[in-house]
Amino acid sequence: MVVLSAKAINRATLSRQLLLERAGVGPAEAVRRLAGMQGQEPKHPYVGLWTRLDGFVDADLTAAVEARDVVRATLFRGTLHLVTAEDYLRFRTTLAPVLEAGLKLLKERGEGLEPAKVVAAARKLLAKEPLTFTQVRDALQEQFPAVNDRALGFCTRMMVPLVMYPTDTRWGWPANARFTPAEQWIGRKPSLSAVPDELVIRYLDAFGPATPADFQTWSGLPSAKTVFEAAELDRFEDENGRTLYDVPTAPRPDPETPAPVRFLPEFDNLLLAHAKRERVIADAYRPAVFTKNLRVKATYLVDGQVAGLWTAEKKRAVATLTLTPFEPVAQRVKTALEREGEALLRFLEPDAKTYAVVTAS
């Protein structure tokens, strides 16, 4: 069996994640290739696409959302993702068991909850008009006064196919966005058939080569090994002897392919899509990126590896990007980071009059 070096695995993943060179495609096609983007907060996918696409401006993604080609919805791992409408309809049923299993997290808060009745009531409410989850919880509490209001909202979020209703704010959605039935917004019902084999292929196209455990980490679906073994996939080993699976036609660039500096937003799926994450981040740096309160900080890549953190702010007319490197960097790398960082600042804060990239002490 062919052994893939750590660098070969890194370059393969970066290639599929559009991080070796910016792609000349539109946002809907990019979101499809990436098998969705983590969308915990509305701004993050915009930054993620800026770093991956040639000439991207935020209006491009906003237009794709308004055209209903791209939606923001609860999907992989029960978290908010930006996905194409086609992928949402195709894979929502496949991932339904993961979402329904999330109700176990309610524990004692779920006392008295009857999911089927709540789902029916929530569907009826949301069919009338888009609602925020505060409004959904309040309305359901009137019908189910003995049940915890958070449990009612969580049940609705996990079990009713909903998408976020966009507005004309810059990043597409306000903090307390409204939700609407996916079928009404997209105009078609989700597929009735589960297709885990298709989802495995889409995952590998976006994040491979990888293991069944990696797929389970990304999707939340259990028992993936049998699906992997039944598919027509190439097999490799990594340097630790683990078997990696991959789509035969997927790109695997030369390990020495240059990897430019790139800035990633918070919660970028590159850092969340594998059980073992050393392909992009050293174990020693993980505590600095993955916080105890379940945040995933904004990072930057140097030679394909997470090398530090970044934050941006604007005070008055001055926009500042602050870099926090994990290790000292060569001058040429610093120059590249400053150049790319200023471009990111100009994307984030187009109205600023002054831009500065600084390094934290």
Side-chain angles (χ1 to χ4, degrees):
M1 192 178 294
V2 175
V3 176
L4 295 178
S5 68
K7 202 166 186 180
I9 295 168
N10 170 269
R11 293 307 194 256
T13 306
L14 293 181
S15 173
R16 298 170 207 194
Q17 283 290 295
L18 311 181
L19 291 167
L20 287 183
E21 58 181 350
R22 283 186 164 94
V25 301
E29 173 61 14
V31 171
R32 187 196 69 80
R33 290 193 196 182
L34 297 168
M37 305 180 75
Q38 186 96 352
Q40 220 76 344
E41 295 174 11
K43 181 168 69 173
H44 299 155
Y46 282 84
V47 177
L49 288 175
W50 174 86
T51 209
R52 289 171 164 95
L53 299 185
D54 185 28
F56 174 78
V57 295
D58 52 88
D60 295 341
L61 177 54
T62 300
V65 171
E66 290 174 349
R68 310 192 184 195
D69 295 328
V70 174
V71 297
R72 186 175 173 221
T74 300
L75 203 57
F76 305 109
R77 306 182 301 280
T79 58
L80 286 170
H81 273 71
L82 202 72
V83 295
T84 66
E86 291 293 333
D87 280 354
Y88 184 85
L89 295 175
R90 187 61 175 157
F91 298 122
R92 174 61 175 71
T93 297
T94 303
L95 293 160
V98 179
L99 304 177
E100 292 170 12
L103 296 185
K104 296 176 183 176
L105 298 173
L106 291 172
K107 298 180 180 178
E108 64 275 3
R109 285 198 300 173
E111 185 176 350
L113 180 70
E114 296 182 74
K117 291 182 179 180
V118 173
V119 166
R123 286 181 184 273
K124 190 174 181 179
L125 280 170
L126 286 154
K128 296 177 183 177
E129 62 178 327
L131 298 172
T132 68
F133 259 88
T134 298
Q135 293 171 321
V136 170
R137 289 194 298 266
D138 290 347
L140 290 175
Q141 185 85 86
E142 292 181 8
Q143 297 184 52
F144 306 97
V147 182
N148 180 281
D149 67 326
R150 294 285 169 176
L152 294 168
F154 189 71
C155 179
T156 302
R157 186 187 295 271
M158 293 295 110
M159 297 189 66
V160 182
L162 301 173
V163 300
M164 278 191 168
Y165 194 89
T167 66
D168 59 1
T169 57
R170 184 187 177 195
W171 304 120
W173 295 272
N176 193 21
R178 295 182 293 167
F179 285 75
T180 194
E183 180 182 346
Q184 288 183 207
W185 181 255
I186 301 172
R188 285 175 289 145
K189 293 181 179 181
S191 170
L192 295 177
S193 302
V195 285
D197 53 337
E198 288 185 27
L199 191 59
V200 163
I201 299 300
R202 291 296 305 282
Y203 168 75
L204 291 173
D205 276 335
F207 297 102
T211 68
D214 292 326
F215 171 77
Q216 289 176 196
T217 296
W218 171 77
S219 67
L221 284 170
S223 307
K225 190 173 182 180
T226 56
V227 183
F228 272 67
E229 291 183 342
E232 295 183 2
L233 300 172
D234 285 345
R235 298 188 186 195
F236 304 92
E237 279 189 359
D238 67 11
E239 293 171 333
N240 296 312
R242 288 177 299 213
T243 300
L244 301 173
Y245 297 79
D246 207 5
V247 179
T249 57
R252 288 183 286 275
D254 186 310
E256 298 308 315
T257 302
V261 299
R262 289 288 184 259
F263 286 86
L264 302 177
E266 293 180 54
F267 296 103
D268 195 277
N269 262 346
L270 180 68
L271 302 183
L272 292 167
H274 301 92
K276 300 287 186 179
R277 296 165 181 169
E278 68 270 16
R279 69 179 64 199
V280 291
I281 181 169
D283 287 342
Y285 302 144
R286 286 182 61 171
V289 175
F290 299 88
T291 70
K292 291 181 179 178
N293 62 349
L294 303 182
R295 301 289 299 184
V296 182
K297 294 182 181 180
T299 60
Y300 58 83
L301 305 178
V302 174
D303 193 28
Q305 290 282 323
V306 172
L309 310 173
W310 65 269
T311 58
E313 65 174 354
K314 187 176 83 166
K315 290 184 178 179
R316 298 185 178 87
V318 179
T320 304
L321 186 80
T322 301
L323 307 178
T324 305
F326 295 147
E327 301 286 347
V329 297
Q331 183 58 48
R332 61 178 179 79
V333 173
K334 184 179 179 183
T335 300
L337 285 168
E338 289 174 349
R339 181 173 59 248
E340 185 80 355
E342 182 171 331
L344 172 60
L345 265 183
R346 291 180 181 276
F347 169 74
L348 292 171
E349 304 292 351
D351 297 330
K353 290 186 169 52
T354 303
Y355 298 91
V357 180
V358 300
T359 300
S361 57

